[in-house]
């Protein structure tokens, strides 16, 4: 079943920011990573999906219900990037307030509030006032607020940006647990390791438009890279190899004694074998050759290379 669907979703602002012609589908129970540089329009898109702002054009739905409708709002939990909670309240009081706003009964509040506080790791500090919480603890508190209504879809905008490595690990474990329960997760994050470990599919947004999307495996296979460690290397061979093979090959770490590291974008093992043959034929010593483990961060940087983006100062 489709949990989130957008068709040409667009939001235009007078300053030129926003997002344009967004088409995505997220299936029920998936974790979807929404990626992009600062200023790409990710938060604008999330705010439309949760009903905080209205689109200029296009449409979107959550489990078939139009975004912004009461039926759609009832299904979501939301942790915004800029979270603010009443500092004079205790952590427990903040979550109880959100539970009442979600329409939970007194019995449900009594059961779920302490359960959520324990789940996010601040149960022992639940009676402390928010003004005494660190930024990381306030982010954990925001997760408890997002979860207390037992949502079908969880929208998370940089959910662990203020947390230390232990906190980020806790959040990853919690997200995996929620996925196993069938909750749909829409994750906007700059922490590529978290996205790679958690998400089934991703979309990359730049300058308000989607550049690429697919499963994590698909996007990481777009440009497979082989890394070769060689000896007896001569710089003149680089251009010759490029012309002979038609491959994109770069050299790094060249040393005076002829040692070097080559990186080549290779489609399959047959191409790799041909490259090895050419190197050996030229008297180059092949010490090591293996397909590099492409990481999501590398893909992110490669896809955005040479493209303009609005950034923080645009």
């Amino acid at each position: 079943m489709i949990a989130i669907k957008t068709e040409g979703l667009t939001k235009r602002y007078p300053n030129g920011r926003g997002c344009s012609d967004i088409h995505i589908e997220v299936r029920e129970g998936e974790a979807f990573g929404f990626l992009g540089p600062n200023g790409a329009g990710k938060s604008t898109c999330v705010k439309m999906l949760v009903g905080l702002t209205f689109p200029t054009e296009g449409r979107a739905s959550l489990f078939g219900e139009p975004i912004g409708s009461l039926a759609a709002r009832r299904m979501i939990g939301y942790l915004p990037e800029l979270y603010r909670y009443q500092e004079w309240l205790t952590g427990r009081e903040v979550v109880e307030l959100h539970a009442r706003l979600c329409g939970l009964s007194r019995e449900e509040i009594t059961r779920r509030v302490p359960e959520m506080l324990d789940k996010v790791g601040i149960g022992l500090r639940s009676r402390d006032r928010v003004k005494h919480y660190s930024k990381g603890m306030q982010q954990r508190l925001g997760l408890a607020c997002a979860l207390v209504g037992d949502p079908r879809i969880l929208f998370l905008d940089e959910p662990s940006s203020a947390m230390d490595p232990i906190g980020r690990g806790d959040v990853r474990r919690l997200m995996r647990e929620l996925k196993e329960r069938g909750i749909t997760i829409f994750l906007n994050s700059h922490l590529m390791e978290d996205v790679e470990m958690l998400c089934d599919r991703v979309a990359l947004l730049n300058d308000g438009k989607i550049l690429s999307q697919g499963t994590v495996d698909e996007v990481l296979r777009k440009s497979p890279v082989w890394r070769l460690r060689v000896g007896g290397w001569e710089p003149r061979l680089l251009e010759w190899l490029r012309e002979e093979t038609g491959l994109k090959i770069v050299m790094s770490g060249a040393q005076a004694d002829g040692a070097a590291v080559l990186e080549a974008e290779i489609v399959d093992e047959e191409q790799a074998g041909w490259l090895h043959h050419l190197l050996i034929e030229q008297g180059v010593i092949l010490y090591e050759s293996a397909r590099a483990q492409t990481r999501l961060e590398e893909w992110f940087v490669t896809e955005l290379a040479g493209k303009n983006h609005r950034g923080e100062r645009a």
Side-chain angles (χ1 to χ4, degrees):
M1 186 174 184
I2 302 300
I4 304 170
K5 183 174 184 177
T6 72
E7 299 174 277
L9 194 65
T10 299
K11 180 67 178 180
R12 296 192 184 95
Y13 292 108
N15 64 3
R17 292 181 179 270
C19 54
S20 175
D21 198 29
I22 304 299
H23 290 265
I24 58 174
E25 285 190 2
V26 182
R27 299 177 183 87
E28 182 176 11
E30 276 190 337
F32 187 86
F34 203 48
L35 312 177
N38 292 330
K42 304 186 300 298
S43 291
T44 296
C45 190
V46 171
K47 287 176 182 177
M48 284 191 286
L49 291 174
V50 300
L52 290 178
T53 190
F54 296 100
T56 307
E57 295 175 12
R59 59 184 180 179
S61 60
L62 308 181
F63 284 107
E65 300 291 345
I67 55 172
S69 66
L70 185 58
R73 288 171 185 254
R74 281 175 173 157
M75 291 187 278
I76 67 174
Y78 175 43
L79 174 61
E81 180 181 13
L82 299 175
Y83 47 88
R84 296 290 186 273
Y85 303 106
Q86 300 88 340
E87 64 177 16
W88 60 89
L89 295 179
T90 67
R92 184 183 182 108
E93 288 170 340
V94 169
V95 182
E96 286 177 346
L97 172 62
H98 282 76
R100 290 199 296 273
L101 291 172
C102 289
L104 270 63
S105 67
R106 186 184 300 273
E107 292 75 16
E108 290 173 317
I109 291 173
T110 301
R111 175 178 57 83
R112 283 193 63 80
V113 169
E115 179 184 340
M116 292 303 104
L117 288 164
D118 287 339
K119 193 174 288 291
V120 301
I122 56 173
L124 296 176
R125 298 284 304 277
S126 63
R127 299 194 180 278
D128 292 357
R129 300 196 184 279
V130 172
K131 66 181 179 181
H132 298 305
Y133 283 9
S134 66
K135 288 183 179 179
M137 286 184 65
Q138 289 190 41
Q139 205 157 32
R140 289 175 184 258
L141 179 64
L143 273 173
C145 292
L147 292 169
V148 72
D150 197 18
R152 294 181 68 184
I153 306 177
L154 189 60
F155 289 95
L156 303 174
D157 201 345
E158 299 291 349
S160 56
S161 58
M163 295 183 188
D164 59 24
I166 294 174
R168 289 199 297 271
D170 289 343
V171 171
R172 282 198 296 265
R173 284 189 289 274
L174 177 57
M175 294 304 101
R176 283 195 291 267
E177 178 186 324
L178 294 170
K179 267 189 67 179
E180 290 171 1
R181 286 177 47 202
I183 294 175
T184 305
I185 300 172
F186 193 97
L187 176 62
N188 173 10
S189 178
H190 283 126
L191 298 173
M192 296 296 146
E193 182 181 0
D194 291 352
V195 174
E196 190 170 340
M197 292 177 67
L198 176 69
C199 292
D200 305 289
R201 298 171 63 244
V202 295
L204 177 61
L205 195 71
N206 184 57
D207 200 22
K209 298 179 180 178
I210 290 181
L211 289 181
S212 180
Q213 63 177 308
T215 69
V216 172
D217 286 342
E218 285 170 350
V219 301
L220 292 185
R221 281 200 299 265
K222 278 190 174 180
S223 299
V225 174
W226 284 63
R227 191 166 287 124
L228 299 86
R229 189 167 60 86
V230 300
W233 175 257
E234 297 180 22
R236 66 174 178 82
L237 292 173
L238 184 59
E239 195 59 39
W240 177 81
L241 273 177
R242 289 171 176 167
E243 292 178 359
E244 191 72 16
T245 64
L247 299 174
K248 182 178 179 180
I249 304 173
V250 297
M251 179 187 64
S252 63
Q255 300 175 14
D257 61 0
V261 174
L262 306 178
E263 291 187 351
E265 292 188 6
I266 294 175
V267 174
D268 52 35
E269 291 185 354
E270 186 174 344
Q271 273 192 341
W274 173 237
L275 179 59
H276 296 164
H277 170 75
L278 291 175
L279 286 168
I280 294 169
E281 195 176 55
Q282 294 298 312
V284 176
I285 303 168
L286 187 61
Y287 292 123
E288 183 179 3
S289 175
R291 178 169 171 162
Q293 182 68 34
T294 307
R295 312 309 299 178
L296 202 60
E297 187 166 349
E298 288 182 50
W299 169 77
F300 182 95
V301 173
T302 300
E303 289 289 304
L304 293 171
K307 294 181 173 63
N308 293 323
H309 60 86
R310 296 183 292 219
E312 295 177 331
R313 301 186 184 186

